[in-house]
Amino acid sequence: MSKEKVILSFVAVTVGLIVAAVAFYFYQGTKEIPKELQKPISILNPNSTPKPAVTLVIDEPKDESVSNTRVIKVSGKTDPDAMIIVLTDTDESVLNPTITGEFSTTVTIETGANPIQITAIGKNGETNTIERTITYSTESF
């Protein structure tokens, strides 16, 4: 008789869980959210890239340019409260822009192609990076 009570208890619990699940499903399906609690959903265009939080515009050097001098000028504009880091394979500079956001420095490049990475770091830690490649050559074209 004990075996029958265990089986009957198991069947009762299973039926109870099924009934509770069906009742919960119907309850959730009929629930309505008030208009004042609904928020609009903004869907980004998958072809667009999000705008960086810190501005960075590089005036010099132009990408893929050729220089006949080893020392080149790196200049541009960013947010006045940002910090600028200029990295090359052989050099590293940390700059603070002027109150108008302008910055300028010089870097030394080696023979051949030289990648230059300019990064602006905003006061809240947001970053924006632009890379330029400058080739040093003394040959005339």
Side-chain angles (χ1 to χ4, degrees):
M1 182 101 88
S2 174
K3 189 178 195 182
E4 289 135 3
K5 286 183 180 180
V6 171
I7 293 174
L8 184 61
S9 296
F10 179 73
V11 169
V13 168
T14 304
V15 170
L17 286 174
I18 292 172
V19 169
V22 169
F24 183 74
Y25 173 77
F26 282 118
Y27 170 74
Q28 288 294 340
T30 59
K31 192 161 96 174
E32 290 187 27
I33 300 172
K35 290 281 186 194
E36 61 270 4
L37 295 178
Q38 294 179 4
K39 296 179 183 175
I41 297 175
S42 171
I43 299 176
L44 294 175
N45 181 352
N47 296 328
S48 70
T49 55
K51 182 181 175 188
V54 62
T55 321
L56 180 60
V57 177
I58 305 301
D59 299 327
E60 292 182 69
K62 300 297 180 200
D63 195 22
E64 300 294 329
S65 62
V66 177
S67 175
N68 59 0
T69 60
R70 284 191 177 271
V71 178
I72 60 167
K73 181 179 179 182
V74 177
S75 66
K77 189 166 180 149
T78 187
D79 298 339
D81 54 357
M83 179 175 57
I84 302 296
I85 300 174
V86 181
L87 294 173
T88 65
D89 288 342
T90 59
D91 202 3
E92 177 180 320
S93 300
V94 178
L95 312 167
N96 288 316
T98 64
I99 59 172
T100 59
E102 297 172 353
F103 64 90
S104 179
T105 189
T106 57
V107 294
T108 305
I109 58 175
E110 300 294 320
T111 302
N114 293 272
I116 300 175
Q117 182 181 46
I118 305 107
T119 302
I121 303 173
K123 64 179 178 180
N124 294 328
E126 63 272 4
T127 63
N128 189 356
T129 300
I130 296 177
E131 293 188 19
R132 298 287 165 94
T133 302
I134 311 304
T135 302
Y136 171 70
S137 176
T138 56
E139 296 181 26
S140 24
F141 295 101

